[in-house]
Amino acid sequence: MTDLLTIRVRLAAPAERVWRALTDPAELRVWFAEHAEVELPQRYAFWGRFTPEGDAPQQRLLHADDHSLRFAWLLGGVETTSEIELAPQGEHTELTLRQSHFVFSEALDGSTIRGVLQTWWSLALANLNAHLEGRPLLPRTDFTSADLRGELMIDAPMDRVWTSLTDSEQASAWFGFPIGIEPWVGGRYAMGGFEAGYAAKVVDLTPGRKMSVDWGPTGVSTWELAESGGKTKLTFVQSGFDESNPPYAAWSGSVSGLSELRRFHEVPDWQPIWLGEEQPAGSAAS
């Protein structure tokens, strides 16, 4: 049984500005896809290495008006439907993304490319907001590569970033989902909290600087911090997985979650961009 995936975000720009970022092919090539072609109301297409099955454009525009887009998208031999709708909120915009043919179990087992849809869209929307806020983009998922690594610069001291990565209360706050963390080798790293059941295992830790967590089949996630001119450079790597079936869903979820880690430290009176009661951006990360 498939589900209708719904993701809602509050974006840091008026609706007119958001619409331009969504429909100008030059802007789309900055924050969204390697290649994009838009001619409304006839065509809305994107493809390239940052798009699932992106060797060619697979979209067919179904509807476009001044605040919404709906297109068919062939993925894994199935025609899915994607819809983006904007609601102006003064100097901000609420965006709702609806995606058909998403099955959560496929995100966990990697059995179809459609399993990446939740976290891939979450990472795309996090990058849209970063683009609108004028911040550097998060690494986009390259579906042509099994080299899952990236860097993120955070305007905060290393000790503060380390605490926010390893303290259960702070990590739960910026991630938007309960996380139980025992920051020592052999300790648990539990998505959903310690009472939720499965917990990954901390397998390496250098206090204040580095931590590695073993997630089983999706591999080992490693975060390493370095001081850089009063800021903190966060390097993150996923390794130890089956390279014939890279955990793109988990990777995209981890990276999209880091967008709020950065905003947690850099935005005064921080509030997350994620709205509603849908599953959080990185909830398929484990």
Side-chain angles (χ1 to χ4, degrees), residues 162-184:
W162 175 258
T163 298
S164 64
L165 282 167
T166 57
D167 176 79
S168 297
E169 183 176 353
Q170 288 195 31
S172 298
W174 60 258
F175 194 73
F177 194 64
I179 304 177
I181 304 172
E182 295 174 338
W184 55 80

PDB file of all heavy atoms in Angstrom, residues 162-184:
ATOM      1  N   TRP A 162      29.586  20.653  19.215  1.00  0.00           N
ATOM      2  CA  TRP A 162      29.741  19.299  19.750  1.00  0.00           C
ATOM      3  C   TRP A 162      28.612  18.960  20.723  1.00  0.00           C
ATOM      4  O   TRP A 162      28.015  17.882  20.653  1.00  0.00           O
ATOM      5  CB  TRP A 162      31.088  19.154  20.449  1.00  0.00           C
ATOM      6  CG  TRP A 162      31.267  17.829  21.138  1.00  0.00           C
ATOM      7  CD1 TRP A 162      31.151  17.574  22.470  1.00  0.00           C
ATOM      8  CD2 TRP A 162      31.543  16.576  20.512  1.00  0.00           C
ATOM      9  NE1 TRP A 162      31.361  16.234  22.726  1.00  0.00           N
ATOM     10  CE2 TRP A 162      31.609  15.602  21.534  1.00  0.00           C
ATOM     11  CE3 TRP A 162      31.776  16.184  19.197  1.00  0.00           C
ATOM     12  CZ2 TRP A 162      31.873  14.268  21.285  1.00  0.00           C
ATOM     13  CZ3 TRP A 162      32.039  14.847  18.940  1.00  0.00           C
ATOM     14  CH2 TRP A 162      32.083  13.901  19.966  1.00  0.00           C
ATOM     15  N   THR A 163      28.306  19.887  21.621  1.00  0.00           N
ATOM     16  CA  THR A 163      27.227  19.636  22.582  1.00  0.00           C
ATOM     17  C   THR A 163      25.901  19.415  21.867  1.00  0.00           C
ATOM     18  O   THR A 163      25.134  18.504  22.212  1.00  0.00           O
ATOM     19  CB  THR A 163      27.107  20.810  23.567  1.00  0.00           C
ATOM     20  OG1 THR A 163      28.322  20.932  24.301  1.00  0.00           O
ATOM     21  CG2 THR A 163      25.963  20.593  24.543  1.00  0.00           C
ATOM     22  N   SER A 164      25.635  20.201  20.840  1.00  0.00           N
ATOM     23  CA  SER A 164      24.358  20.062  20.139  1.00  0.00           C
ATOM     24  C   SER A 164      24.274  18.766  19.348  1.00  0.00           C
ATOM     25  O   SER A 164      23.171  18.283  19.058  1.00  0.00           O
ATOM     26  CB  SER A 164      24.125  21.259  19.215  1.00  0.00           C
ATOM     27  OG  SER A 164      25.083  21.328  18.184  1.00  0.00           O
ATOM     28  N   LEU A 165      25.413  18.187  19.009  1.00  0.00           N
ATOM     29  CA  LEU A 165      25.430  16.905  18.298  1.00  0.00           C
ATOM     30  C   LEU A 165      25.333  15.707  19.234  1.00  0.00           C
ATOM     31  O   LEU A 165      24.916  14.622  18.807  1.00  0.00           O
ATOM     32  CB  LEU A 165      26.717  16.775  17.474  1.00  0.00           C
ATOM     33  CG  LEU A 165      26.786  17.526  16.147  1.00  0.00           C
ATOM     34  CD1 LEU A 165      28.216  17.543  15.628  1.00  0.00           C
ATOM     35  CD2 LEU A 165      25.858  16.903  15.108  1.00  0.00           C
ATOM     36  N   THR A 166      25.708  15.873  20.486  1.00  0.00           N
ATOM     37  CA  THR A 166      25.841  14.716  21.379  1.00  0.00           C
ATOM     38  C   THR A 166      24.927  14.770  22.599  1.00  0.00           C
ATOM     39  O   THR A 166      24.814  13.774  23.316  1.00  0.00           O
ATOM     40  CB  THR A 166      27.299  14.581  21.871  1.00  0.00           C
ATOM     41  OG1 THR A 166      27.706  15.803  22.517  1.00  0.00           O
ATOM     42  CG2 THR A 166      28.239  14.297  20.706  1.00  0.00           C
ATOM     43  N   ASP A 167      24.280  15.890  22.854  1.00  0.00           N
ATOM     44  CA  ASP A 167      23.341  16.002  23.963  1.00  0.00           C
ATOM     45  C   ASP A 167      21.946  15.644  23.462  1.00  0.00           C
ATOM     46  O   ASP A 167      21.446  16.222  22.486  1.00  0.00           O
ATOM     47  CB  ASP A 167      23.355  17.434  24.514  1.00  0.00           C
ATOM     48  CG  ASP A 167      22.324  17.637  25.610  1.00  0.00           C
ATOM     49  OD1 ASP A 167      22.590  17.233  26.746  1.00  0.00           O
ATOM     50  OD2 ASP A 167      21.243  18.184  25.304  1.00  0.00           O
ATOM     51  N   SER A 168      21.297  14.704  24.113  1.00  0.00           N
ATOM     52  CA  SER A 168      20.007  14.200  23.638  1.00  0.00           C
ATOM     53  C   SER A 168      18.973  15.314  23.498  1.00  0.00           C
ATOM     54  O   SER A 168      18.239  15.375  22.505  1.00  0.00           O
ATOM     55  CB  SER A 168      19.472  13.126  24.582  1.00  0.00           C
ATOM     56  OG  SER A 168      20.321  12.008  24.636  1.00  0.00           O
ATOM     57  N   GLU A 169      18.897  16.200  24.482  1.00  0.00           N
ATOM     58  CA  GLU A 169      17.874  17.248  24.457  1.00  0.00           C
ATOM     59  C   GLU A 169      18.101  18.215  23.306  1.00  0.00           C
ATOM     60  O   GLU A 169      17.171  18.565  22.565  1.00  0.00           O
ATOM     61  CB  GLU A 169      17.865  18.000  25.791  1.00  0.00           C
ATOM     62  CG  GLU A 169      16.776  19.060  25.885  1.00  0.00           C
ATOM     63  CD  GLU A 169      16.717  19.716  27.250  1.00  0.00           C
ATOM     64  OE1 GLU A 169      17.431  19.252  28.162  1.00  0.00           O
ATOM     65  OE2 GLU A 169      15.959  20.691  27.401  1.00  0.00           O
ATOM     66  N   GLN A 170      19.349  18.661  23.125  1.00  0.00           N
ATOM     67  CA  GLN A 170      19.619  19.605  22.045  1.00  0.00           C
ATOM     68  C   GLN A 170      19.471  18.946  20.675  1.00  0.00           C
ATOM     69  O   GLN A 170      18.902  19.542  19.753  1.00  0.00           O
ATOM     70  CB  GLN A 170      21.024  20.197  22.184  1.00  0.00           C
ATOM     71  CG  GLN A 170      21.152  21.178  23.336  1.00  0.00           C
ATOM     72  CD  GLN A 170      22.415  22.016  23.242  1.00  0.00           C
ATOM     73  OE1 GLN A 170      22.910  22.323  22.160  1.00  0.00           O
ATOM     74  NE2 GLN A 170      22.955  22.385  24.395  1.00  0.00           N
ATOM     75  N   ALA A 171      19.965  17.721  20.527  1.00  0.00           N
ATOM     76  CA  ALA A 171      19.840  17.032  19.238  1.00  0.00           C
ATOM     77  C   ALA A 171      18.379  16.804  18.876  1.00  0.00           C
ATOM     78  O   ALA A 171      17.977  16.947  17.712  1.00  0.00           O
ATOM     79  CB  ALA A 171      20.601  15.713  19.271  1.00  0.00           C
ATOM     80  N   SER A 172      17.568  16.462  19.857  1.00  0.00           N
ATOM     81  CA  SER A 172      16.138  16.272  19.610  1.00  0.00           C
ATOM     82  C   SER A 172      15.484  17.580  19.180  1.00  0.00           C
ATOM     83  O   SER A 172      14.570  17.588  18.345  1.00  0.00           O
ATOM     84  CB  SER A 172      15.449  15.733  20.863  1.00  0.00           C
ATOM     85  OG  SER A 172      15.959  14.471  21.242  1.00  0.00           O
ATOM     86  N   ALA A 173      15.948  18.690  19.735  1.00  0.00           N
ATOM     87  CA  ALA A 173      15.365  19.995  19.407  1.00  0.00           C
ATOM     88  C   ALA A 173      15.626  20.359  17.955  1.00  0.00           C
ATOM     89  O   ALA A 173      14.695  20.649  17.194  1.00  0.00           O
ATOM     90  CB  ALA A 173      15.917  21.068  20.344  1.00  0.00           C
ATOM     91  N   TRP A 174      16.894  20.350  17.523  1.00  0.00           N
ATOM     92  CA  TRP A 174      17.153  20.798  16.146  1.00  0.00           C
ATOM     93  C   TRP A 174      16.738  19.765  15.112  1.00  0.00           C
ATOM     94  O   TRP A 174      16.368  20.116  13.989  1.00  0.00           O
ATOM     95  CB  TRP A 174      18.605  21.234  15.960  1.00  0.00           C
ATOM     96  CG  TRP A 174      19.687  20.221  16.206  1.00  0.00           C
ATOM     97  CD1 TRP A 174      20.471  20.123  17.310  1.00  0.00           C
ATOM     98  CD2 TRP A 174      20.150  19.204  15.307  1.00  0.00           C
ATOM     99  NE1 TRP A 174      21.372  19.095  17.182  1.00  0.00           N
ATOM    100  CE2 TRP A 174      21.208  18.517  15.955  1.00  0.00           C
ATOM    101  CE3 TRP A 174      19.781  18.793  14.035  1.00  0.00           C
ATOM    102  CZ2 TRP A 174      21.884  17.446  15.368  1.00  0.00           C
ATOM    103  CZ3 TRP A 174      20.447  17.729  13.437  1.00  0.00           C
ATOM    104  CH2 TRP A 174      21.489  17.074  14.105  1.00  0.00           C
ATOM    105  N   PHE A 175      16.764  18.468  15.472  1.00  0.00           N
ATOM    106  CA  PHE A 175      16.361  17.445  14.512  1.00  0.00           C
ATOM    107  C   PHE A 175      14.840  17.354  14.383  1.00  0.00           C
ATOM    108  O   PHE A 175      14.323  16.907  13.372  1.00  0.00           O
ATOM    109  CB  PHE A 175      16.941  16.088  14.915  1.00  0.00           C
ATOM    110  CG  PHE A 175      16.864  15.057  13.819  1.00  0.00           C
ATOM    111  CD1 PHE A 175      17.693  15.130  12.715  1.00  0.00           C
ATOM    112  CD2 PHE A 175      15.939  14.025  13.889  1.00  0.00           C
ATOM    113  CE1 PHE A 175      17.617  14.188  11.700  1.00  0.00           C
ATOM    114  CE2 PHE A 175      15.856  13.075  12.885  1.00  0.00           C
ATOM    115  CZ  PHE A 175      16.697  13.158  11.785  1.00  0.00           C
ATOM    116  N   GLY A 176      14.122  17.770  15.419  1.00  0.00           N
ATOM    117  CA  GLY A 176      12.671  17.745  15.371  1.00  0.00           C
ATOM    118  C   GLY A 176      12.065  16.385  15.632  1.00  0.00           C
ATOM    119  O   GLY A 176      10.908  16.138  15.283  1.00  0.00           O
ATOM    120  N   PHE A 177      12.813  15.503  16.281  1.00  0.00           N
ATOM    121  CA  PHE A 177      12.370  14.135  16.543  1.00  0.00           C
ATOM    122  C   PHE A 177      13.199  13.637  17.720  1.00  0.00           C
ATOM    123  O   PHE A 177      14.389  13.959  17.814  1.00  0.00           O
ATOM    124  CB  PHE A 177      12.614  13.282  15.291  1.00  0.00           C
ATOM    125  CG  PHE A 177      11.921  11.954  15.269  1.00  0.00           C
ATOM    126  CD1 PHE A 177      10.542  11.880  15.263  1.00  0.00           C
ATOM    127  CD2 PHE A 177      12.653  10.775  15.229  1.00  0.00           C
ATOM    128  CE1 PHE A 177       9.888  10.653  15.212  1.00  0.00           C
ATOM    129  CE2 PHE A 177      12.017   9.541  15.173  1.00  0.00           C
ATOM    130  CZ  PHE A 177      10.632   9.481  15.166  1.00  0.00           C
ATOM    131  N   PRO A 178      12.617  12.876  18.648  1.00  0.00           N
ATOM    132  CA  PRO A 178      13.395  12.442  19.811  1.00  0.00           C
ATOM    133  C   PRO A 178      14.627  11.620  19.421  1.00  0.00           C
ATOM    134  O   PRO A 178      14.543  10.706  18.588  1.00  0.00           O
ATOM    135  CB  PRO A 178      12.396  11.591  20.601  1.00  0.00           C
ATOM    136  CG  PRO A 178      11.049  12.053  20.162  1.00  0.00           C
ATOM    137  CD  PRO A 178      11.211  12.434  18.719  1.00  0.00           C
ATOM    138  N   ILE A 179      15.748  11.958  19.997  1.00  0.00           N
ATOM    139  CA  ILE A 179      16.990  11.203  19.803  1.00  0.00           C
ATOM    140  C   ILE A 179      17.601  10.961  21.176  1.00  0.00           C
ATOM    141  O   ILE A 179      17.807  11.903  21.947  1.00  0.00           O
ATOM    142  CB  ILE A 179      18.006  11.961  18.919  1.00  0.00           C
ATOM    143  CG1 ILE A 179      17.394  12.334  17.572  1.00  0.00           C
ATOM    144  CG2 ILE A 179      19.266  11.119  18.723  1.00  0.00           C
ATOM    145  CD1 ILE A 179      18.338  13.140  16.686  1.00  0.00           C
ATOM    146  N   GLY A 180      17.866   9.714  21.478  1.00  0.00           N
ATOM    147  CA  GLY A 180      18.571   9.373  22.709  1.00  0.00           C
ATOM    148  C   GLY A 180      20.023   9.062  22.399  1.00  0.00           C
ATOM    149  O   GLY A 180      20.310   8.228  21.547  1.00  0.00           O
ATOM    150  N   ILE A 181      20.939   9.758  23.067  1.00  0.00           N
ATOM    151  CA  ILE A 181      22.369   9.622  22.755  1.00  0.00           C
ATOM    152  C   ILE A 181      23.150   9.322  24.030  1.00  0.00           C
ATOM    153  O   ILE A 181      23.040  10.049  25.027  1.00  0.00           O
ATOM    154  CB  ILE A 181      22.929  10.912  22.108  1.00  0.00           C
ATOM    155  CG1 ILE A 181      22.132  11.280  20.853  1.00  0.00           C
ATOM    156  CG2 ILE A 181      24.414  10.727  21.767  1.00  0.00           C
ATOM    157  CD1 ILE A 181      22.496  12.635  20.285  1.00  0.00           C
ATOM    158  N   GLU A 182      23.931   8.260  23.993  1.00  0.00           N
ATOM    159  CA  GLU A 182      24.903   7.955  25.037  1.00  0.00           C
ATOM    160  C   GLU A 182      26.288   8.180  24.427  1.00  0.00           C
ATOM    161  O   GLU A 182      26.800   7.336  23.689  1.00  0.00           O
ATOM    162  CB  GLU A 182      24.734   6.511  25.502  1.00  0.00           C
ATOM    163  CG  GLU A 182      23.395   6.265  26.186  1.00  0.00           C
ATOM    164  CD  GLU A 182      23.141   4.809  26.526  1.00  0.00           C
ATOM    165  OE1 GLU A 182      23.765   3.923  25.887  1.00  0.00           O
ATOM    166  OE2 GLU A 182      22.317   4.552  27.416  1.00  0.00           O
ATOM    167  N   PRO A 183      26.908   9.346  24.690  1.00  0.00           N
ATOM    168  CA  PRO A 183      28.122   9.750  23.976  1.00  0.00           C
ATOM    169  C   PRO A 183      29.403   9.094  24.505  1.00  0.00           C
ATOM    170  O   PRO A 183      30.293   9.753  25.031  1.00  0.00           O
ATOM    171  CB  PRO A 183      28.140  11.271  24.156  1.00  0.00           C
ATOM    172  CG  PRO A 183      27.477  11.483  25.487  1.00  0.00           C
ATOM    173  CD  PRO A 183      26.430  10.410  25.593  1.00  0.00           C
ATOM    174  N   TRP A 184      29.443   7.786  24.341  1.00  0.00           N
ATOM    175  CA  TRP A 184      30.663   7.041  24.659  1.00  0.00           C
ATOM    176  C   TRP A 184      30.683   5.794  23.773  1.00  0.00           C
ATOM    177  O   TRP A 184      29.657   5.348  23.263  1.00  0.00           O
ATOM    178  CB  TRP A 184      30.715   6.662  26.144  1.00  0.00           C
ATOM    179  CG  TRP A 184      29.524   5.898  26.660  1.00  0.00           C
ATOM    180  CD1 TRP A 184      29.262   4.565  26.523  1.00  0.00           C
ATOM    181  CD2 TRP A 184      28.410   6.436  27.395  1.00  0.00           C
ATOM    182  NE1 TRP A 184      28.081   4.213  27.118  1.00  0.00           N
ATOM    183  CE2 TRP A 184      27.534   5.348  27.668  1.00  0.00           C
ATOM    184  CE3 TRP A 184      28.077   7.721  27.846  1.00  0.00           C
ATOM    185  CZ2 TRP A 184      26.344   5.522  28.367  1.00  0.00           C
ATOM    186  CZ3 TRP A 184      26.899   7.884  28.549  1.00  0.00           C
ATOM    187  CH2 TRP A 184      26.050   6.798  28.805  1.00  0.00           C
TER     188      TRP A 184
END
